[in-house]
Amino acid sequence: MSLFRQLGQAPAQAASRRFDLNGYERMPGFIQRFLNHMAAKHYSQQTAQRYLYDFLDFFRWVEMASAAEVDPSTIEAESFIEFDHAGADAYATYLALELDNAPSVINRKLSSMQSLFNFLIESGVTTTNPFQAVERPKRAKRNPVYLTEQEWLDFSTLVRSNVGMSDREAAWFERNRDRDFLIIQLLGLTGMRVSELTGLDWSDIDLTTGTIRVIGKGDKERLLPLAAPLIALLEQSPGPRVGPLLQSVSGKRIAVRTVQHMLKGHIDRLKSYLPFLVHKQVTPHKLRHTFASRLAMAGIDVLTIQQLLGHESVATTQVYAHIGDEKKKQAITGLR
C-alpha cells in the first residue's frame, strides 16, 4: 500500500489531558484528542495505554509497508483519513500472517483502530470507517481458568509463608507480607479488577457494615460485601487508616504493574510446591475468575454474579453459567 498522500510537517499541538501515557507525545494531534476523549469518558489509564500501544504498532506497520520513515506526531487527520478498506485488510493480514498474533490480539488491535475512526466520524473529520467491514478471526470459546476451592485454599495458605525464598528474598517479603496477602485476598474474595483494587482508599471501606465501595469502568460505583477473612485482615491493619489502602514501599499508591509483578513472583516460587500453578498461569484476572467460579459452584445465580463483578452485560457473565450447570449435573448423576 502507499503511505498517506501527505504528511503534516508541523508537530501536532497536544491538548490538556488527564492521563500520563507512555508515548503520548509521539501521537498525532487527532489521536491525542481521542485519548483525551477517553479520559473524559472515564476510561481507565490502563485501557488508554493499551490503545496507544496498538496505535504505535499500526504506525510501525505503516513504516514497514511503505518503506518510508514515519513520524506519527507529524501526521495530520486529513491525510490519515485517506486510509481505506484495502489498507485495513492488509493490516489485518499482516497481524495474522506476519506477526502470527492470536485472534484475541488481532481483534483488539483492529477494534482500537475502528474506535479511532468512529471518533473521527463523530468529530466530523470523516464519514467512513475502513475497519468497519474488516473480517475478524473467530475466537475459540474458552472456559475461564480458575482455581478450585481446594487450590485456592492451598494457595492462600502457602503464599503467606516464605517457602522457596532465599534469605534476601525472605527479608524483603517480610516488609510486604501483610500487604501482599491482603492484595491476593481482596482479588480472590471480592472479584474486583486489579485497576479497581489499586484505586481503593481507606474511606471506601466500612468495617461496621462489612462492605467496600468500588469504582469500576465508566466511574460506576458498586458496593461489595466483605468476606469474614477480609474483615479480619483489615481490622488487623496497622497504621493510620487514611489515603490509599494499598501503598508502595515509598508510601505512594500502589501501581497495577506492581500488583501483577508481585503476584507473578509468588506464583513462580510456589510452582514446585503447588503443581497446578504450572499450567493455570494465575494472574489478577484469573483470581477474578476464581471468585466468580466459586460463586457459580455454590449455586449463586448469574445476575447476582454480574452485579458483583460489575459487568455491563449479563452476556459477559454467562461464561460462568456452565460451571454451575456442571455442578448440578454432577449432583443428579451422583444420585443412587
Side-chain angles (χ1 to χ4, degrees), residues 44-63:
S44 71
Q45 176 154 323
Q46 289 74 30
T47 298
Q49 186 68 70
R50 284 196 294 270
Y51 271 78
L52 194 153
Y53 286 148
D54 288 343
F55 297 146
L56 284 174
D57 285 345
F58 172 76
F59 287 123
R60 290 190 191 99
W61 169 74
V62 170
E63 187 170 64

Side-chain angles (χ1 to χ4, degrees), residues 10-61:
Q13 295 298 313
S16 60
R17 66 188 190 278
R18 189 185 76 179
F19 292 140
D20 180 17
L21 301 175
N22 184 28
Y24 180 90
E25 302 301 335
R26 297 174 59 190
M27 291 292 99
F30 60 90
I31 289 184
Q32 291 180 350
R33 288 190 291 274
F34 172 65
L35 295 170
N36 296 340
H37 173 74
M38 292 182 70
K41 293 295 184 181
H42 304 293
Y43 284 81
S44 71
Q45 176 154 323
Q46 289 74 30
T47 298
Q49 186 68 70
R50 284 196 294 270
Y51 271 78
L52 194 153
Y53 286 148
D54 288 343
F55 297 146
L56 284 174
D57 285 345
F58 172 76
F59 287 123
R60 290 190 191 99
W61 169 74

Side-chain angles (χ1 to χ4, degrees), residues 149 292-301 305 323-324 327:
E149 183 82 14
S293 300
R294 292 177 72 194
L295 292 181
M297 286 188 285
I300 305 301
D301 64 274
I305 298 175
I323 298 172
K327 192 77 172 177

